[in-house]
Amino acid sequence: MNESKRVFKWWWAWNPETVENWLEEMEAEGWHLVKVQQAVTRFYFEKGQPRQIRYCIDYQNKKDSNYMSIFQDTGWEYIYESSGWYLWRMPYTGTRPEIYTDLDSLIERNNRLSGVFVVLITTQIPIMTAITNTIWKYPYILILYVILFGILIYSLVRMTSATNKMKKKRDALK
């Protein structure tokens, strides 16, 4: 009988490396990823032999027709997609492969994500205004929206900070 397990793993858009590294560690311990669900947060594993596999998460809000073939032609295996997030993997020995080989591509990815956060924040303002006008009827909904709004603002700030660090690193390398 195969040993299997299901794990919920939360991660933040500005730091996909945390889940990428975790998945790689799971493979090194012999836990093979067999299924992913719920916007890359629920993972299903089966026990097997340890493997050295690199995982990468990418975000594309506008997938071009060549997107999948570019990655597959360079040896990446498509695993999962949800709401613009793509999970890829590649077995390796020696040098650890990277999807993005330059900081400019990572900066562009973060800028795409920042744009999503700006849109989400902007769309919440009229809703919060409408709820505020009827607060005496629905105070719990306002509280939920304030929490959501705070998370979105926090996410945008963290994404911007991560992007600025990459820009400084890129500029130092020039």
Side-chain angles (χ1 to χ4, degrees), residues 4-10 22-23 26 31 33 35-38 40-45:
S4 62
K5 69 178 173 179
R6 177 179 64 182
V7 179
F8 176 83
K9 178 84 169 167
W10 184 257
W22 173 73
L23 286 168
M26 294 294 284
W31 287 105
L33 181 66
K35 185 175 165 184
V36 182
Q37 290 181 326
Q38 298 177 343
V40 197
T41 59
R42 182 159 314 273
F43 302 90
Y44 297 83
F45 299 93

Side-chain angles (χ1 to χ4, degrees), residues 76-140:
W76 290 94
E77 178 188 358
Y78 166 79
I79 303 298
Y80 180 76
E81 184 267 328
S82 176
S83 303
W85 290 99
Y86 291 82
L87 179 61
W88 299 90
R89 74 176 161 203
M90 177 189 288
Y92 71 99
T93 55
T95 305
R96 188 175 188 232
E98 296 289 340
I99 280 185
Y100 291 110
T101 57
D102 64 308
L103 287 171
D104 287 330
S105 297
L106 288 168
I107 291 167
E108 287 173 22
R109 179 200 67 193
N110 284 3
N111 287 338
R112 287 190 301 271
L113 281 164
S114 293
V116 171
F117 287 125
V118 168
V119 168
L120 289 172
I121 290 166
T122 304
T123 59
Q124 296 309 308
I125 293 171
I127 296 169
M128 281 184 59
T129 303
I131 292 170
T132 303
N133 291 336
T134 60
I135 191 168
W136 56 274
K137 288 183 181 178
Y138 310 106
Y140 56 91

Side-chain angles (χ1 to χ4, degrees), residues 10-21 57 85 109-110 113 155 158-159 162 166:
W10 184 257
W11 56 279
W12 296 100
W14 59 84
N15 194 8
E17 296 83 16
T18 56
V19 78
E20 293 171 350
N21 293 336
I57 295 176
W85 290 99
R109 179 200 67 193
N110 284 3
L113 281 164
S155 297
R158 290 297 304 258
M159 184 63 67
M166 287 180 204

